[in-house]
Amino acid sequence: MFEMNATRLRVWLFTLACLIAAIALPFLAPTYYVQFFAKALIMGMLAMALNLVVGHGGLVSLCHAAFFGLAGYVLALLSPRYDAASLLTTFPLAVLSSAAAGLVIGALALRTRGIYFIMVTLAFGEMLFFFFHDTKVAGGSDGIFINVRPEIAVAGRQLLDLDKPITFYFFVLACLVGVVALLTMVVRSPFGHALAAARDNERRARSLGFPIFRIRLIAFALSGGLAGVAGYLAAAQFGFVAPQMLGWHQSATVLVMVLIGGLRSVTGPLVGALVLIGLEEVLKAHLDNWKLAEGLIIIGIVVMLPNGIRQIWPMIFGSSPEVPVDAGRAEAEHAVAEARHA
Amino acid sequence: MHEIALRAECLQKRFGGLAAVRDVSIDVHVGEIHAVIGPNGAGKSTLINLLSGELFANAGEILLGATNITAFAPDRRARAGLGRAYQKTTIFPKFSVHENVRLAAQARSSAPLRMFGGVQSDTECHRRAADAIGNAGLSGRSQVIADRLSHGEQRQLEIAMVLATDPRIILLDEPLAGMGQSEAREIIALIASLKIGRAVLIVEHDMDAVFELADRLTVMQDGGVIATGLPQEVRTHPAVRAAYLGNYGDVA
């Protein structure tokens, strides 16, 4: 019991240290790195959202970029051309749009299993991609600009302006903390345990009385909504959205972040995103064939740490209570390998 | 006569041109173990799958108590009070014994899909899980990961999970399959204890066990029921003897 508490204390201290470092960053680092880190945190949010269905639900989705991009497009379409959009209306609308898309796509895709599920989600993701690519709804293949970033203003007084890099950074950090808290709560709740039970043995979970389809659909919509949070922030940061944001390349990249971070924890994919994006940044600066080096390093990580980078944690801090071997992992890895080779 | 827990009437299931189950009616009573026997291919497994909802009947009705569950999906039948164990042990192999059974208790709790608050806070679920683990004879093994258990213990675990869902009727599909003598004895004793306050329907090939356990028997052949009744009646039934001994074994 004492050891349990000691482990928990270390986890809390480590989390606190990370949070303090993240809060201190904008006061210590140049703006470029603050923006770079914000971008990495946004991708981390997307990876954590995806992992709710991949790691905890055992459902490998290849359409999460579509939820991500859709929220970005909602912001772009709701933004006035020369004025700031209201954060308080566009943010919930964007997130709800992504969650609704998750609900509709999930309701259809969750009728299939395994590789068929992957293909159906891929097909729906590509449908949304081509919707924005081939129609004039939002600039077609050229994409669309968000000239002024959203703000919170009450009676003409600006309270929060995402145009300021430091404000934007702290808004991203607050969203990140919110997403981590929400996912941690869901994963530890009876709902989260039922979701994991359905992943490990669908037949048994159903015959115990769990409504599998409903559980997975709720998880899928929630995951889509959280991907929308990330998409909204990404669109606000770049001030530009293009169809590539919804494409399967993006989905596959996020899946790689999930895999290198580890499937069985909430924050593993965040670590995976930071590692992958950091790696790209370093390699790009020093190598011409950086993609080749990146691929080799990713293969190395997956081979040496089959449970993800989060596996390093127990090596450093002593054993954590649960490090189960991943059953759904082989399937996920296979999907990623296929997607990357295509 | 005990109260009827489960009643199936004129169930039919066709796979293409094959009638796997033809006009099968069966009553399972509370406080009784009802065994279904018959040669391979008689339709026993199909029947149990029709009752649990993994297959849907082409015709006929299934009543659980007073509720018509014919159109219910398996999860809804489970919530209505029908528990089942599979021929091939079906558990959550990576979870501890306690988590396996706790999940079963959670499925029948008042808020099985609550998203707020950890699972630790539901003490009622934990208590029911601990009770079921004790009743199935796995006390002291609750922290073991399920796939480390022996074959017999996994059977006990599966029964503990079914018990934790608080069923009115339990369907057991060949619970003694692939089990050694001593292991089988324990499981037989456990199955015998299940009928108290519940109904049990069992499909089993081990005739010694069947005649030891069953209060009532139904014999199936080629998808239909050829005899049903008390064990001693069924044992001497001419059609049953013909089915088991072949047509030329003239019944005395």
Side-chain angles (χ1 to χ4, degrees):
Chain A
M1 207 62 215
F2 172 76
E3 205 167 311
M4 242 333 243
N5 287 334
T7 311
R8 193 169 294 173
L9 186 69
R10 271 194 299 240
V11 170
W12 274 108
L13 284 177
F14 185 72
T15 311
L16 197 66
C18 289
L19 203 57
I20 290 170
I23 290 169
L25 181 87
F27 304 105
L28 304 171
T31 311
Y32 172 79
Y33 287 104
V34 175
Q35 284 174 335
F36 171 75
F37 197 60
K39 182 183 117 187
L41 291 183
I42 290 168
M43 292 315 287
M45 247 183 270
L46 176 57
M48 285 191 289
L50 174 64
N51 192 41
L52 179 65
V53 289
V54 175
H56 301 282
L59 304 160
V60 179
S61 159
L62 272 180
C63 66
H64 267 59
F67 304 139
F68 177 75
L70 184 66
Y73 267 99
V74 169
L75 171 62
L77 292 171
L78 289 176
S79 294
R81 184 167 291 212
Y82 303 113
D83 241 337
S86 161
L87 180 77
L88 289 180
T89 54
T90 54
F91 188 54
L93 271 173
V95 173
L96 282 177
S97 304
S98 290
L103 205 60
V104 172
I105 293 175
L108 297 165
L110 286 168
R111 294 174 194 281
T112 62
R113 297 281 176 277
I115 191 81
Y116 299 101
F117 178 81
I118 301 174
M119 299 327 278
V120 171
T121 54
L122 175 65
F124 277 114
E126 289 302 277
M127 266 166 66
L128 274 171
F129 170 82
F130 282 111
F131 173 76
F132 286 109
H133 189 272
D134 290 353
T135 65
K136 292 284 161 228
V137 178
S141 58
D142 294 336
I144 181 171
F145 283 96
I146 302 159
N147 294 316
V148 190
R149 290 186 178 81
E151 59 170 24
I152 298 178
V154 175
R157 261 196 66 198
Q158 212 176 36
L159 297 178
L160 189 89
D161 180 12
L162 294 189
D163 253 331
K164 294 193 189 106
I166 191 159
T167 311
F168 182 80
Y169 175 80
F170 279 115
F171 186 68
V172 169
L173 196 59
C175 287
L176 183 85
V177 171
V179 168
V180 170
L182 182 72
L183 284 173
T184 304
M185 184 187 76
V186 168
V187 164
R188 290 182 181 175
S189 72
F191 176 87
H193 281 243
L195 182 66
R199 170 197 69 205
D200 282 6
N201 193 336
E202 180 176 344
R203 194 182 205 199
R204 175 38 84 197
R206 181 175 287 117
S207 69
L208 288 179
F210 287 115
I212 308 299
F213 180 78
R214 201 194 317 161
I215 291 173
R216 288 181 171 163
L217 187 57
I218 293 169
F220 201 76
L222 179 61
S223 169
L226 294 178
V229 172
Y232 181 94
L233 294 172
Q237 180 171 34
F238 301 129
F240 174 69
V241 285
Q244 280 69 29
M245 205 175 162
L246 296 90
W248 63 267
H249 253 105
Q250 177 89 308
S251 292
T253 306
V254 182
L255 212 46
V256 171
M257 292 172 184
V258 169
L259 283 180
I260 61 182
L263 286 157
R264 283 297 185 268
S265 64
V266 168
T267 50
L270 172 64
V271 178
L274 295 178
V275 168
L276 189 69
I277 293 172
L279 192 65
E280 280 185 3
E281 185 73 9
V282 172
L283 292 177
K284 257 184 212 169
H286 295 98
L287 290 173
D288 288 334
N289 293 323
W290 64 274
K291 283 231 166 195
L292 181 67
E294 188 193 14
L296 289 173
I297 293 172
I298 290 171
I299 290 171
I301 292 174
V302 171
V303 169
M304 302 220 284
L305 299 168
N307 283 320
I309 287 181
R310 272 296 299 259
Q311 213 179 333
I312 293 175
W313 173 271
M315 292 179 194
I316 300 170
F317 295 97
S319 69
S320 86
E322 42 170 349
V323 190
V325 186
D326 296 324
R329 188 179 170 81
E331 194 184 359
E333 270 168 10
H334 190 69
V336 172
E338 299 268 298
R340 284 237 137 178
H341 289 152
Chain B
M1 178 69 73
H2 297 285
E3 167 198 356
I4 293 173
L6 183 80
R7 158 171 278 173
E9 275 177 70
C10 301
L11 285 184
Q12 291 212 26
K13 181 68 190 176
R14 283 183 301 276
F15 296 113
L18 174 80
V21 165
R22 290 181 284 128
D23 264 342
V24 170
S25 297
I26 194 167
D27 288 346
V28 191
H29 302 259
V30 174
E32 282 189 1
I33 295 179
H34 192 132
V36 177
I37 58 171
N40 281 328
K44 305 181 299 289
S45 289
T46 307
L47 175 65
I48 223 169
N49 284 331
L50 288 175
L51 295 177
S52 72
E54 299 213 351
L55 293 173
F56 283 98
N58 299 111
E61 268 197 345
I62 305 165
L63 297 171
L64 184 66
T67 319
N68 186 336
I69 59 164
T70 316
F72 284 20
D75 55 310
R76 215 169 146 204
R77 292 189 193 197
R79 292 197 296 277
L82 188 147
R84 97 162 269 191
Y86 292 88
Q87 186 174 344
K88 193 169 171 290
T89 307
T90 301
I91 54 176
F92 302 112
K94 301 293 177 203
F95 296 163
S96 72
V97 168
H98 183 268
E99 173 65 6
N100 266 277
V101 185
R102 196 204 57 75
L103 274 163
Q106 181 192 320
R108 276 302 289 274
S109 70
S110 54
L113 300 183
R114 188 165 47 88
M115 290 181 122
F116 307 96
V119 291
Q120 305 309 325
S121 59
D122 195 339
T123 47
E124 171 66 17
C125 264
H126 285 280
R127 192 188 56 72
R128 275 173 45 210
D131 283 354
I133 290 170
N135 289 338
L138 285 173
S139 309
R141 302 285 279 162
S142 57
Q143 293 314 314
V144 181
I145 303 298
D147 64 359
R148 307 268 162 79
L149 296 175
S150 71
H151 182 58
E153 284 176 321
Q154 292 190 352
R155 278 277 155 189
Q156 285 168 273
L157 172 57
E158 194 172 7
I159 290 173
M161 292 167 79
V162 173
L163 283 176
T165 62
D166 193 19
R168 279 189 284 164
I169 173 158
I170 299 177
L171 312 179
L172 299 172
D173 194 357
E174 299 197 27
L176 303 175
M179 201 156 286
Q181 273 292 324
S182 60
E183 275 184 326
R185 290 314 315 166
E186 280 181 44
I187 301 293
I188 289 171
L190 177 56
I191 293 169
S193 73
L194 295 179
K195 67 177 177 183
I196 302 161
R198 302 183 199 92
V200 178
L201 184 133
I202 175 173
V203 167
E204 182 53 56
H205 278 295
D206 181 338
M207 284 304 137
D208 293 335
V210 165
F211 280 97
E212 184 179 339
L213 285 168
D215 299 298
R216 204 174 289 270
L217 274 174
T218 291
V219 187
M220 288 182 73
Q221 187 185 17
D222 297 331
V225 173
I226 55 172
T228 186
L230 301 174
Q232 59 270 30
E233 294 167 8
V234 168
R235 207 194 277 266
T236 53
H237 196 286
V240 175
R241 305 199 64 170
Y244 272 88
L245 300 171
N247 286 329
Y248 42 85
D250 223 26
V251 180

